[in-house]
Amino acid sequence: MIGDDKVHIWTAAEVESGAVPAEHLPHTREILAWAGRYLVSPHPELGRNGPVCPYTQPSLHKGLFHLAALTATNGGTDVRDAIESLRSWYERLSARIPPADRELLTILLVLPQLDHQDSTGLDALQREAKDKFVNDGLMIGQFHPVCDQPGLWNEKFKALRAPVPLLAIRKLVVFDLPFLMDDEVHAESYLRRFAPDIPPRIRDQLVKRLVSTRKSLQTA
């Protein structure tokens, strides 16, 4: 385990072996099992081939998949400070990993104390943190039992539903453009980082979105 007075972080192996405090073990194990069942598998409603998350299985295989929880001294309420601490810990962990593997480093902050029937609070935390994360070359995404955010490839598929509220942190990669196009600041951060190396498929998505936006402005 690593961490501080705000957040504790365990590897997937530590969670599997039970080397987690009793108050956190049930939820971290539940999310690890969910990740190993749902995220690594195809889904008929996903709208594309391949697993729901193409990074999870390689991350698990290389021991780069981590789970985190708020500390007891944190009181279970200071989620913002925990997110900021987790961002710092992510950078420290990343520095220990060969550059070729850094995009596989993943941390899931499990937040069972949040409302399981209303994702508004979690959504707000994610939006609030995303500017700084994207600017630093990281992604932060939310999962929730009733998350209504539509899937990228099938709007009817609610891809971000999990049994427990959580925030997922990983490295920003070139294929993340579709998740950033709706915010000018995020898109600019992405382009500063990846513009010379954008693959043709992602470039086509960018052009189509820009054309669609221009048409909407012309008809408004």
Side-chain angles (χ1 to χ4, degrees), residues 11 21 32 39 61 85 100 110 119 147 157 160 173 185-186 191 213 220:
T11 64
L32 182 59
L39 293 180
H61 179 72
S85 179
V110 185
S119 67
C147 183
F157 179 51
L160 302 184
V173 298
V185 173
H186 298 163
L191 291 172
T213 301

Side-chain angles (χ1 to χ4, degrees), residues 14-33:
E14 287 175 321
V15 174
E16 287 179 342
S17 69
V20 174
E23 66 268 28
H24 298 306
L25 187 58
H27 293 301
T28 53
R29 274 189 167 170
E30 182 180 17
I31 290 302
L32 182 59

